[in-house]
Every structure is written in C-alpha cells, then in structure tokens.
Amino acid sequence: MEIIKKVAYIKGLADGLELDKDSKEGKVIAAMLEALEEMADTISDLCDEVNAISDDLSDVEELVYDDEDYDVDDDGCCCDDDDDCCCCCGDDDEEELEADCPSCGAELTIADEDLDAGYMICPKCGEKLEFDFDEDDEEDEE
C-alpha cells in the first residue's frame, strides 16, 4: 500500500475513534497525524523527483552508451581494428618521448625499452645516444 494511502487509512481510524481534539491525548494524536500526512506528502514528492531523475539518467545513458559509432570492446578500445587503433584509448599508461638526434637532427621516438636500457641507436646516422631518465625528474619538472 502506498504511504499516502496508509496515512489516510490511519487518519480514518483516528476519526472513527471520535477523539476529543481538546484533550491532551487528542492534541498529541492530531499533531502526529498531521506530521505523518506532511511526511507522506514529502516522501511522495521526493519519489516523483527521483523517478524523473532516473528517467533523465536513462536518456543520458542511452545517448552515451548506445551510440553505434562508439562501441567499446573489452580492452576499452572503441576502434574496430586493434592493429590500426586511432584513439589510443587502451594506451593511457604509456607516454612516448620524442627528441632530436644531436648528431644528425633526426626526430626520434624513445621507446620504453630504450629508456630501460639507458641508450638507443639513431636509426638515421647510427649514433649511440645515451641518456639517464628518471621518472622523478619528470615529476619535478611539472
């Protein structure tokens, strides 16, 4: 039974008792019934608002998650072909470092393996490029 109907039922029971509203007990019961009625109205209004918000959220979820152009797979990638990933959504942890070769000026991309090794060979001129990279240094720069 809905709360407003329950309060109305209780109020009807109290009216059937024909309590004297001027007595101490009658005043207490009347005040309690009035408070119950206000609480039931407030709860009913809140339920209506929650249902409206839930409907709005369902609409938003449908727009965000049911878009056919944006299907996310188990890896968190929205691209159809893993080999030609265009969004890098699965590579959030990896950062690519870029530098110029001091010997020939070629643009280099430093891979994680090269960082771990402490050096790399320039693919253009063959120069051995040594570096000491510490993640704490990068955080200090920021």
Side-chain angles (χ1 to χ4, degrees), residues 60-68 70-71:
V60 170
E61 287 174 340
E62 188 174 319
L63 287 172
V64 171
Y65 297 117
D66 289 344
D67 187 4
E68 292 177 15
Y70 187 75
D71 277 338

mmCIF file of all heavy atoms in Angstrom, residues 60-68 70-71:
data_model
loop_
_atom_site.group_PDB
_atom_site.id
_atom_site.type_symbol
_atom_site.label_atom_id
_atom_site.label_comp_id
_atom_site.label_asym_id
_atom_site.label_seq_id
_atom_site.Cartn_x
_atom_site.Cartn_y
_atom_site.Cartn_z
ATOM 1 N N VAL A 60 20.204 9.874 -20.829
ATOM 2 C CA VAL A 60 21.624 10.200 -20.997
ATOM 3 C C VAL A 60 22.432 8.932 -21.263
ATOM 4 O O VAL A 60 23.286 8.899 -22.151
ATOM 5 C CB VAL A 60 22.166 10.944 -19.749
ATOM 6 C CG1 VAL A 60 23.678 11.061 -19.809
ATOM 7 C CG2 VAL A 60 21.526 12.312 -19.637
ATOM 8 N N GLU A 61 22.164 7.870 -20.504
ATOM 9 C CA GLU A 61 22.875 6.605 -20.715
ATOM 10 C C GLU A 61 22.640 6.087 -22.119
ATOM 11 O O GLU A 61 23.562 5.573 -22.759
ATOM 12 C CB GLU A 61 22.415 5.566 -19.697
ATOM 13 C CG GLU A 61 22.932 5.809 -18.304
ATOM 14 C CD GLU A 61 22.337 4.846 -17.281
ATOM 15 O OE1 GLU A 61 21.269 4.256 -17.542
ATOM 16 O OE2 GLU A 61 22.943 4.692 -16.218
ATOM 17 N N GLU A 62 21.438 6.220 -22.607
ATOM 18 C CA GLU A 62 21.133 5.757 -23.963
ATOM 19 C C GLU A 62 21.921 6.551 -24.991
ATOM 20 O O GLU A 62 22.473 5.989 -25.934
ATOM 21 C CB GLU A 62 19.633 5.893 -24.228
ATOM 22 C CG GLU A 62 19.202 5.272 -25.537
ATOM 23 C CD GLU A 62 17.690 5.296 -25.694
ATOM 24 O OE1 GLU A 62 16.979 5.030 -24.711
ATOM 25 O OE2 GLU A 62 17.246 5.575 -26.818
ATOM 26 N N LEU A 63 22.015 7.864 -24.785
ATOM 27 C CA LEU A 63 22.778 8.697 -25.711
ATOM 28 C C LEU A 63 24.266 8.375 -25.666
ATOM 29 O O LEU A 63 24.932 8.317 -26.694
ATOM 30 C CB LEU A 63 22.578 10.173 -25.385
ATOM 31 C CG LEU A 63 21.232 10.766 -25.732
ATOM 32 C CD1 LEU A 63 21.117 12.182 -25.158
ATOM 33 C CD2 LEU A 63 21.018 10.806 -27.237
ATOM 34 N N VAL A 64 24.795 8.145 -24.454
ATOM 35 C CA VAL A 64 26.232 7.939 -24.302
ATOM 36 C C VAL A 64 26.643 6.520 -24.663
ATOM 37 O O VAL A 64 27.596 6.312 -25.410
ATOM 38 C CB VAL A 64 26.673 8.267 -22.857
ATOM 39 C CG1 VAL A 64 28.119 7.854 -22.627
ATOM 40 C CG2 VAL A 64 26.493 9.748 -22.577
ATOM 41 N N TYR A 65 25.940 5.527 -24.161
ATOM 42 C CA TYR A 65 26.396 4.147 -24.285
ATOM 43 C C TYR A 65 25.797 3.377 -25.446
ATOM 44 O O TYR A 65 26.350 2.378 -25.863
ATOM 45 C CB TYR A 65 26.120 3.385 -22.995
ATOM 46 C CG TYR A 65 26.877 3.934 -21.833
ATOM 47 C CD1 TYR A 65 26.219 4.478 -20.736
ATOM 48 C CD2 TYR A 65 28.269 3.942 -21.817
ATOM 49 C CE1 TYR A 65 26.926 4.990 -19.660
ATOM 50 C CE2 TYR A 65 28.978 4.456 -20.753
ATOM 51 C CZ TYR A 65 28.298 4.972 -19.674
ATOM 52 O OH TYR A 65 28.993 5.477 -18.624
ATOM 53 N N ASP A 66 24.697 3.818 -25.986
ATOM 54 C CA ASP A 66 24.069 3.071 -27.067
ATOM 55 C C ASP A 66 24.378 3.639 -28.438
ATOM 56 O O ASP A 66 23.761 3.273 -29.413
ATOM 57 C CB ASP A 66 22.544 3.028 -26.864
ATOM 58 C CG ASP A 66 22.147 2.141 -25.708
ATOM 59 O OD1 ASP A 66 22.991 1.340 -25.260
ATOM 60 O OD2 ASP A 66 20.999 2.241 -25.239
ATOM 61 N N ASP A 67 25.348 4.531 -28.519
ATOM 62 C CA ASP A 67 25.751 5.112 -29.792
ATOM 63 C C ASP A 67 26.466 4.038 -30.620
ATOM 64 O O ASP A 67 27.466 3.483 -30.202
ATOM 65 C CB ASP A 67 26.680 6.304 -29.557
ATOM 66 C CG ASP A 67 26.994 7.053 -30.835
ATOM 67 O OD1 ASP A 67 26.432 6.702 -31.885
ATOM 68 O OD2 ASP A 67 27.793 7.994 -30.774
ATOM 69 N N GLU A 68 25.939 3.753 -31.796
ATOM 70 C CA GLU A 68 26.503 2.683 -32.626
ATOM 71 C C GLU A 68 27.913 3.003 -33.103
ATOM 72 O O GLU A 68 28.706 2.118 -33.370
ATOM 73 C CB GLU A 68 25.596 2.436 -33.830
ATOM 74 C CG GLU A 68 24.260 1.827 -33.452
ATOM 75 C CD GLU A 68 23.367 1.659 -34.663
ATOM 76 O OE1 GLU A 68 23.848 1.743 -35.798
ATOM 77 O OE2 GLU A 68 22.162 1.438 -34.454
ATOM 78 N N TYR A 70 30.270 4.271 -31.392
ATOM 79 C CA TYR A 70 31.245 4.230 -30.303
ATOM 80 C C TYR A 70 31.025 2.975 -29.471
ATOM 81 O O TYR A 70 30.434 3.014 -28.411
ATOM 82 C CB TYR A 70 31.108 5.476 -29.426
ATOM 83 C CG TYR A 70 32.178 5.595 -28.388
ATOM 84 C CD1 TYR A 70 33.458 5.980 -28.743
ATOM 85 C CD2 TYR A 70 31.919 5.319 -27.055
ATOM 86 C CE1 TYR A 70 34.458 6.095 -27.807
ATOM 87 C CE2 TYR A 70 32.921 5.424 -26.107
ATOM 88 C CZ TYR A 70 34.172 5.814 -26.486
ATOM 89 O OH TYR A 70 35.156 5.916 -25.544
ATOM 90 N N ASP A 71 31.459 1.841 -30.001
ATOM 91 C CA ASP A 71 31.366 0.580 -29.282
ATOM 92 C C ASP A 71 32.708 0.295 -28.633
ATOM 93 O O ASP A 71 33.716 0.143 -29.309
ATOM 94 C CB ASP A 71 31.017 -0.581 -30.235
ATOM 95 C CG ASP A 71 29.530 -0.659 -30.494
ATOM 96 O OD1 ASP A 71 28.779 -0.138 -29.658
ATOM 97 O OD2 ASP A 71 29.132 -1.245 -31.515
#
